[in-house]
Amino acid sequence: MPEAKSDILIRVENLQKYFPIKLGFMNVQYVRAVEGATFVIKKGETLGLVGESGCGKTTLGRTILRLYEPTKGKIFYEEKDITNVNMLPYRRKMQIIFQDPSASLDPRMTVGEIVGEAIDIHKLSSNGKERQERIKELLAQVGLNTEHANRYPHEFSGGQQQRIGIARALAVKPEFIVCDEPISALDVSIQSQIVNMLEDMQEQIGLTYLFIAHDLSVVRHISNRIGVMYLGVIVEMASSTELYKNPLHPYTNTLLSAVPVPDPVVSRSRNRIILEGEIPSPMNPPSGCRFHTRCPYVTERCKQEEPAFREVAPEHFVACHLV
Ligand code: SF4
């Protein structure tokens, strides 16, 4: 069944992002960070995006927000083409939470100023009292105290700094948030608190997330659907349940084999798949299927012909000649 258009918040079509690298006089090469991404994100859902470091997932998230300009392809927000428009009206609706909270907060500003700045830029309060009330409300929403408004970021733990980053994102009443590895810089003990908080916010405000992570165990519980990315290309996408039950791409199987299992008996009986070789350079990706240099099932066809990203079961997409 085709998707009802009103269900879709974000649509990307054949999105591509290359970064030029100058290697000398008249010698420019390109890092092909994202190649031909086509997918939708439905209103109110969380789409998880996983893959090794450097696979292009952060670039894809930032390109959707137009923090990076796309090289090719199209981005739609509620079916409006925003690929080339002035983003000012969309900046409020589309926010980002960064991986490293300490680096993303200005150390010279108090927490109140950081959160208040977002309110001011988008003129979301009519007077000082309303602004103060809104800052208090936001801090409470992310589990911080009102007194925290007068303190500086360095006075907080990593988890609290990430809460400040979330309060700043929420200050402008967004609809869509790119969560760019929001817990990978945090202690394991705090990670689940932040994930739970993001889930609560989603339920209360009806947010839509693109949740980026480098391993599948993190995205499993928060995501309705998951996309798997390898060397700039989305190789598989399905509902979270389907992806875990019926992974089809050899690379997804590799990532799944690395997910820790709490049951020691199951864990012992499981075969961890170790990929041979290094991830190739995105400046010079392999021909045909980009995974062919590391795939255990590679054939001659894989080396020459790029597999199409096809829907092989309802809402289950995969790019592999063997499937
Ligand atoms: Fe492996 Fe070929 Fe499938 Fe690529 S297309 S994942 S190389 S089997």
Side-chain angles (χ1 to χ4, degrees), residues 249-250 289 291-292 295 297-299 302 307 320-322:
H249 197 281
C289 172
F291 189 54
H292 88 245
C295 180
Y297 311 105
V298 58
T299 63
C302 305
C320 174
H321 292 308
L322 284 192

mmCIF file of all heavy atoms in Angstrom, residues 249-250 289 291-292 295 297-299 302 307 320-322, ligand 1:
data_model
loop_
_atom_site.group_PDB
_atom_site.id
_atom_site.type_symbol
_atom_site.label_atom_id
_atom_site.label_comp_id
_atom_site.label_asym_id
_atom_site.label_seq_id
_atom_site.Cartn_x
_atom_site.Cartn_y
_atom_site.Cartn_z
ATOM 1 N N HIS A 249 20.573 -8.073 4.683
ATOM 2 C CA HIS A 249 21.851 -7.648 4.108
ATOM 3 C C HIS A 249 23.009 -8.232 4.930
ATOM 4 O O HIS A 249 22.958 -8.200 6.169
ATOM 5 C CB HIS A 249 21.936 -6.121 4.095
ATOM 6 C CG HIS A 249 22.996 -5.602 3.189
ATOM 7 N ND1 HIS A 249 24.331 -5.583 3.549
ATOM 8 C CD2 HIS A 249 22.938 -5.121 1.909
ATOM 9 C CE1 HIS A 249 25.036 -5.087 2.532
ATOM 10 N NE2 HIS A 249 24.218 -4.809 1.530
ATOM 11 N N PRO A 250 24.055 -8.735 4.267
ATOM 12 C CA PRO A 250 25.182 -9.312 5.018
ATOM 13 C C PRO A 250 25.790 -8.327 6.028
ATOM 14 O O PRO A 250 26.231 -8.729 7.104
ATOM 15 C CB PRO A 250 26.201 -9.658 3.921
ATOM 16 C CG PRO A 250 25.389 -9.835 2.681
ATOM 17 C CD PRO A 250 24.226 -8.903 2.806
ATOM 18 N N CYS A 289 28.765 -3.020 -5.775
ATOM 19 C CA CYS A 289 28.297 -2.938 -4.392
ATOM 20 C C CYS A 289 29.447 -2.423 -3.532
ATOM 21 O O CYS A 289 30.536 -3.010 -3.523
ATOM 22 C CB CYS A 289 27.837 -4.312 -3.909
ATOM 23 S SG CYS A 289 27.472 -4.325 -2.141
ATOM 24 N N PHE A 291 29.989 -2.735 -0.561
ATOM 25 C CA PHE A 291 30.382 -3.661 0.505
ATOM 26 C C PHE A 291 31.192 -4.841 -0.046
ATOM 27 O O PHE A 291 31.644 -5.694 0.712
ATOM 28 C CB PHE A 291 29.094 -4.152 1.205
ATOM 29 C CG PHE A 291 29.324 -4.943 2.461
ATOM 30 C CD1 PHE A 291 30.102 -4.442 3.504
ATOM 31 C CD2 PHE A 291 28.745 -6.187 2.624
ATOM 32 C CE1 PHE A 291 30.304 -5.176 4.661
ATOM 33 C CE2 PHE A 291 28.934 -6.925 3.783
ATOM 34 C CZ PHE A 291 29.724 -6.419 4.803
ATOM 35 N N HIS A 292 31.412 -4.870 -1.371
ATOM 36 C CA HIS A 292 31.940 -6.117 -1.951
ATOM 37 C C HIS A 292 33.347 -6.483 -1.476
ATOM 38 O O HIS A 292 33.718 -7.646 -1.440
ATOM 39 C CB HIS A 292 31.830 -6.111 -3.492
ATOM 40 C CG HIS A 292 32.983 -5.517 -4.227
ATOM 41 N ND1 HIS A 292 32.865 -4.377 -4.987
ATOM 42 C CD2 HIS A 292 34.277 -5.906 -4.351
ATOM 43 C CE1 HIS A 292 34.034 -4.101 -5.538
ATOM 44 N NE2 HIS A 292 34.910 -5.004 -5.159
ATOM 45 N N CYS A 295 32.533 -8.372 1.834
ATOM 46 C CA CYS A 295 31.371 -9.253 1.956
ATOM 47 C C CYS A 295 31.767 -10.722 1.783
ATOM 48 O O CYS A 295 32.437 -11.074 0.817
ATOM 49 C CB CYS A 295 30.334 -8.877 0.890
ATOM 50 S SG CYS A 295 28.869 -9.917 0.978
ATOM 51 N N TYR A 297 29.952 -13.077 0.822
ATOM 52 C CA TYR A 297 29.176 -13.725 -0.256
ATOM 53 C C TYR A 297 29.412 -13.079 -1.619
ATOM 54 O O TYR A 297 28.627 -13.275 -2.547
ATOM 55 C CB TYR A 297 27.674 -13.662 0.067
ATOM 56 C CG TYR A 297 27.366 -14.128 1.460
ATOM 57 C CD1 TYR A 297 27.053 -13.209 2.457
ATOM 58 C CD2 TYR A 297 27.427 -15.481 1.782
ATOM 59 C CE1 TYR A 297 26.804 -13.630 3.756
ATOM 60 C CE2 TYR A 297 27.176 -15.909 3.076
ATOM 61 C CZ TYR A 297 26.866 -14.972 4.063
ATOM 62 O OH TYR A 297 26.632 -15.397 5.343
ATOM 63 N N VAL A 298 30.483 -12.327 -1.742
ATOM 64 C CA VAL A 298 30.707 -11.544 -2.962
ATOM 65 C C VAL A 298 30.771 -12.437 -4.218
ATOM 66 O O VAL A 298 31.300 -13.546 -4.178
ATOM 67 C CB VAL A 298 32.001 -10.691 -2.813
ATOM 68 C CG1 VAL A 298 33.199 -11.567 -2.525
ATOM 69 C CG2 VAL A 298 32.235 -9.806 -4.014
ATOM 70 N N THR A 299 30.185 -11.933 -5.311
ATOM 71 C CA THR A 299 30.261 -12.612 -6.609
ATOM 72 C C THR A 299 30.824 -11.613 -7.627
ATOM 73 O O THR A 299 30.962 -10.431 -7.327
ATOM 74 C CB THR A 299 28.862 -13.047 -7.104
ATOM 75 O OG1 THR A 299 28.092 -11.851 -7.307
ATOM 76 C CG2 THR A 299 28.158 -13.950 -6.114
ATOM 77 N N CYS A 302 28.621 -8.599 -8.139
ATOM 78 C CA CYS A 302 28.671 -7.583 -7.065
ATOM 79 C C CYS A 302 29.762 -6.553 -7.338
ATOM 80 O O CYS A 302 29.632 -5.389 -6.953
ATOM 81 C CB CYS A 302 28.953 -8.231 -5.722
ATOM 82 S SG CYS A 302 27.822 -9.538 -5.282
ATOM 83 N N PRO A 307 23.881 -2.834 -6.545
ATOM 84 C CA PRO A 307 22.526 -3.356 -6.307
ATOM 85 C C PRO A 307 21.534 -2.227 -6.027
ATOM 86 O O PRO A 307 21.876 -1.252 -5.356
ATOM 87 C CB PRO A 307 22.699 -4.255 -5.072
ATOM 88 C CG PRO A 307 23.941 -3.790 -4.412
ATOM 89 C CD PRO A 307 24.813 -3.137 -5.446
ATOM 90 N N CYS A 320 20.983 -5.596 -2.153
ATOM 91 C CA CYS A 320 21.922 -6.734 -2.257
ATOM 92 C C CYS A 320 21.457 -7.626 -3.388
ATOM 93 O O CYS A 320 20.278 -7.958 -3.476
ATOM 94 C CB CYS A 320 21.951 -7.508 -0.937
ATOM 95 S SG CYS A 320 22.931 -9.002 -1.041
ATOM 96 N N HIS A 321 22.403 -8.050 -4.240
ATOM 97 C CA HIS A 321 22.042 -8.914 -5.373
ATOM 98 C C HIS A 321 21.553 -10.292 -4.925
ATOM 99 O O HIS A 321 20.847 -10.962 -5.645
ATOM 100 C CB HIS A 321 23.259 -9.106 -6.289
ATOM 101 C CG HIS A 321 23.648 -7.866 -7.002
ATOM 102 N ND1 HIS A 321 22.762 -7.101 -7.732
ATOM 103 C CD2 HIS A 321 24.850 -7.227 -7.109
ATOM 104 C CE1 HIS A 321 23.388 -6.059 -8.250
ATOM 105 N NE2 HIS A 321 24.655 -6.099 -7.879
ATOM 106 N N LEU A 322 21.952 -10.719 -3.741
ATOM 107 C CA LEU A 322 21.596 -12.069 -3.300
ATOM 108 C C LEU A 322 20.176 -12.174 -2.769
ATOM 109 O O LEU A 322 19.641 -13.265 -2.614
ATOM 110 C CB LEU A 322 22.543 -12.533 -2.188
ATOM 111 C CG LEU A 322 23.944 -12.968 -2.589
ATOM 112 C CD1 LEU A 322 24.604 -13.666 -1.420
ATOM 113 C CD2 LEU A 322 23.913 -13.899 -3.789
HETATM 114 FE FE1 SF4 B 1 27.550 -8.915 -0.670
HETATM 115 FE FE2 SF4 B 1 27.073 -8.852 -3.264
HETATM 116 FE FE3 SF4 B 1 25.105 -8.445 -1.555
HETATM 117 FE FE4 SF4 B 1 27.005 -6.619 -1.884
HETATM 118 S S1 SF4 B 1 25.508 -7.289 -3.403
HETATM 119 S S2 SF4 B 1 26.163 -7.340 0.026
HETATM 120 S S3 SF4 B 1 28.789 -7.907 -2.191
HETATM 121 S S4 SF4 B 1 26.274 -10.324 -1.809
#
